[in-house]
Amino acid sequence: GSNTDPATFESSVGRTLGLRRTFWSHSQVSSAIQTAAADVAKGRLPWISFSLPYSWSDMAIGKGDAWARDIATRLTTVNGPVWVAFHHEPEKDGVESQWVAVQRRLSPIVRSIAPNVAYTIILTGWHELYDPNYNLEMMWPGDGLIDAVGFDVYLSYGLVKNGTRITKFTDLDTAYFKPLGEWAAKHKVAWGLAETGLTDEASEVDPTWMPDIVTAMKARGGSAWTYFNTKLNSEGSWVITTTNKTRQFSEALKGTARIP
């Protein structure tokens, strides 16, 4: 669903989520804060993404400063830690240097007001590593401004794109976790998966994929792992409905970190 209560899903996997990512428009601040507070009360770390109220160029020169200050001030009322991101997956949405400028402007505002909030950015990962028009450095606002970087990396095996079924079973550890972990270590920033998923078909081919990639990611220094468990904006059968995927997620969830 759309930012819906995960309690029923948690019952099916036998444990409360350690981390929960939700998505909000720029006008849904009140709902986002309420949901973050409810998540913290349940022991979940909220990772919330907002769209922006103005263009990147306007945001970069301060038009959205008051909006950002209001969010930061409201987030201080949440009785626990919160991760926040503004305009996730910016690749090809505009002039990327302007998006970087937005992050450079908003980070000091949020971090100075809300000590309980981690300021994050969320990238696709694929573009930065495998698209010649991008790289990690061009999307980096600068050391000391970002508390954590999320990457949205999926296993595409079984996905049909442009009429062609993908049959390559990518090893995310070598293809993504190793270079991303090394880059994050160089910049002394936390990192993790802000979205991931596998098709129902892929889950049958590798019935331990979820717990295995959590282990692999943590071994590379990763701090967060979130699964895109929704049909909304889904191009593949990511949603967890089968017994196999429910078991996999349950295994992945065991032993994960909890907020105090």
Side-chain angles (χ1 to χ4, degrees):
S2 176
N3 297 335
T4 47
D5 187 343
T8 299
F9 175 71
E10 289 172 329
S11 295
S12 72
V13 296
R15 193 172 192 196
T16 302
L17 301 176
L19 174 71
R20 183 188 178 206
R21 186 164 171 217
T22 54
F23 304 80
W24 307 93
S25 75
H26 59 83
S27 62
Q28 294 178 302
V29 177
S30 294
S31 295
I33 303 302
Q34 290 172 5
T35 300
D39 281 340
V40 167
K42 291 290 187 179
R44 311 176 191 117
L45 172 62
W47 194 354
I48 56 180
S49 297
F50 286 104
S51 65
L52 296 170
Y54 306 107
S55 69
W56 290 351
S57 58
D58 283 344
M59 291 292 298
I61 60 173
K63 191 171 182 179
D65 286 5
W67 173 81
R69 279 194 292 268
D70 177 62
I71 288 177
T73 301
R74 295 201 206 183
L75 284 172
T76 62
T77 66
V78 177
N79 189 30
V82 181
W83 290 14
V84 67
F86 297 108
H87 196 120
H88 72 281
E89 291 190 14
E91 298 88 348
K92 300 188 183 301
D93 285 348
V95 179
E96 285 78 4
S97 61
Q98 293 179 349
W99 176 88
V100 173
V102 172
Q103 307 306 322
R104 288 174 177 157
R105 184 166 191 104
L106 297 188
S107 171
I109 292 173
V110 173
R111 296 172 90 214
S112 65
I113 293 173
N116 62 314
V117 173
Y119 192 94
T120 76
I121 58 172
I122 298 172
L123 307 169
T124 68
W126 182 87
H127 283 286
E128 285 70 29
L129 294 178
Y130 299 107
D131 184 338
N133 297 306
Y134 291 85
N135 61 67
L136 286 163
E137 296 304 326
M138 72 175 282
M139 303 300 290
W140 182 234
D143 292 359
L145 292 174
I146 308 301
D147 297 300
V149 183
F151 299 99
D152 294 350
V153 179
Y154 291 75
L155 179 66
S156 297
Y157 179 90
L159 194 66
V160 177
K161 283 192 173 184
N162 301 319
T164 301
R165 177 176 164 274
I166 297 173
T167 58
K168 180 181 179 181
F169 209 100
T170 302
D171 178 0
L172 297 193
D173 181 44
T174 55
Y176 289 95
F177 300 166
K178 184 178 186 294
L180 294 177
E182 290 173 349
W183 175 83
K186 181 178 72 172
H187 289 283
K188 297 181 173 58
V189 65
W191 74 280
L193 294 191
E195 290 179 27
T196 194
L198 80 166
T199 63
D200 291 346
E201 181 181 1
S203 72
E204 296 297 332
V205 174
D206 187 347
T208 62
W209 184 81
M210 290 192 209
D212 287 348
I213 69 160
V214 170
T215 298
M217 187 202 68
K218 289 169 69 176
R220 301 289 188 183
S223 302
W225 183 83
T226 56
Y227 190 94
F228 195 71
N229 188 29
T230 179
K231 293 181 180 179
L232 298 178
N233 301 312
S234 289
E235 58 180 356
S237 55
W238 312 131
V239 65
I240 299 173
T241 57
T242 66
T243 300
N244 180 313
K245 288 168 81 169
T246 300
R247 177 190 51 76
Q248 284 203 41
F249 188 91
S250 179
E251 288 297 318
L253 194 60
K254 290 179 180 177
T256 55
R258 308 279 115 175
I259 61 174

